[in-house]
Amino acid sequence: MKSEPNQPVSSPFANVAEVEKAALTRMEKVISDLQHNMGSVRTGRASIHLLDGVTVEAYGAPMPLSHVATLHVPEPTLITLQPYDSSQINAIEKAIRSADLGLNPSNDGKLIRVPVPALTEERRKEMVKQLHHMAEDHRITIRNVRRDVNDALKKMLKDKLISEDDDRRSHDTIQKHTDAFITKVDSAVKAKEKEVMEI
């Protein structure tokens, strides 16, 4: 049942299609966030994304590494950082060292070299555990999106903005999206786990 044009609409959504679109958009953001987070999990290969979470105390404020240096991967086991301002070189090196990534940077006054050592079996297992936590957090977020959207649908039904059939159909659609996105989380994490365990 549609609302009358002059009836106040208390739902942020005009119809079921908008609700479903909002759910999809939010679930896609969860997957992007997961992929971004997994980029900082080390594999046996060097990647500038290993340093994504590292912040440097520069000019009185914490800044991401990419704002204070150019990062390169000249070879599979080495990351280099060229600071924009050479007076920041020690602060950058210290930030990488204290980021608990198991990396040991060194500098020659101009360039910071970060050798990426091969992962030990124990470290690989720790990283797989970390990936499983990440996956669970993102699964929960997807389920929370489902809950929020289902609450919005209930409210729309209560306010007689949608019919019971619309409500039922939309609940089914949202559940399908939820299952599909949880499967995406699982396969993304499995692929990353395989990369981490590869020697």
Side-chain angles (χ1 to χ4, degrees):
M1 185 179 143
K2 286 211 170 95
S3 62
E4 298 301 319
N6 58 0
Q7 185 182 326
V9 176
S10 56
S11 169
F13 303 106
N15 55 42
V16 167
E18 270 187 29
V19 175
E20 290 171 9
K21 189 175 171 210
L24 266 179
T25 305
R26 283 178 62 193
M27 288 181 186
E28 276 158 10
K29 278 189 187 144
V30 175
I31 298 296
S32 303
D33 184 65
L34 173 68
Q35 281 161 340
H36 176 76
N37 290 355
M38 286 193 315
S40 65
V41 174
R42 260 188 67 192
T43 59
R45 270 202 230 72
S47 156
I48 60 170
H49 295 298
L50 284 180
L51 303 173
D52 278 356
V54 181
T55 51
V56 183
E57 216 31 69
Y59 314 109
M63 295 180 150
L65 273 183
S66 57
H67 291 197
V68 293
T70 310
L71 288 80
H72 292 286
V73 178
E75 51 191 78
T77 57
L78 183 71
I79 302 171
T80 59
L81 294 94
Q82 177 82 57
Y84 299 130
D85 173 355
S86 57
S87 71
Q88 295 295 319
I89 202 159
N90 291 329
I92 295 170
E93 191 179 334
K94 186 179 168 214
I96 296 168
R97 210 179 287 281
S98 57
D100 193 30
L101 295 168
L103 300 173
N104 197 8
S106 63
N107 81 73
D108 60 9
K110 291 194 180 97
L111 190 74
I112 298 172
R113 285 180 177 76
V114 185
V116 178
L119 293 169
T120 63
E121 185 66 21
E122 191 183 334
R123 189 80 177 117
R124 287 176 198 273
K125 284 178 180 163
E126 273 173 38
M127 289 180 166
V128 166
K129 250 187 223 161
Q130 191 184 338
L131 283 170
H132 286 214
H133 284 302
M134 250 180 228
E136 189 47 33
D137 288 347
H138 287 78
R139 280 189 213 104
I140 288 167
T141 307
I142 289 170
R143 290 186 195 114
N144 288 344
V145 171
R146 175 187 60 192
R147 186 200 57 217
D148 293 350
V149 170
N150 285 343
D151 288 350
L153 288 168
K154 271 184 210 143
K155 181 147 183 41
M156 288 170 84
L157 179 64
K158 187 173 168 246
D159 294 346
K160 300 195 175 2
L161 298 174
I162 59 171
S163 70
E164 280 185 22
D165 283 349
D166 288 341
D167 178 57
R168 236 191 325 273
R169 257 195 310 270
S170 202
H171 268 80
D172 289 347
T173 303
I174 300 300
Q175 187 56 54
K176 279 184 191 130
H177 289 330
T178 304
D179 296 341
F181 277 91
I182 284 177
T183 302
K184 279 185 186 182
V185 167
D186 294 343
S187 22
V189 168
K190 257 197 199 93
K192 185 69 177 186
E193 189 178 323
K194 191 168 172 254
E195 257 182 70
V196 169
M197 293 311 285
E198 253 169 29
I199 296 170

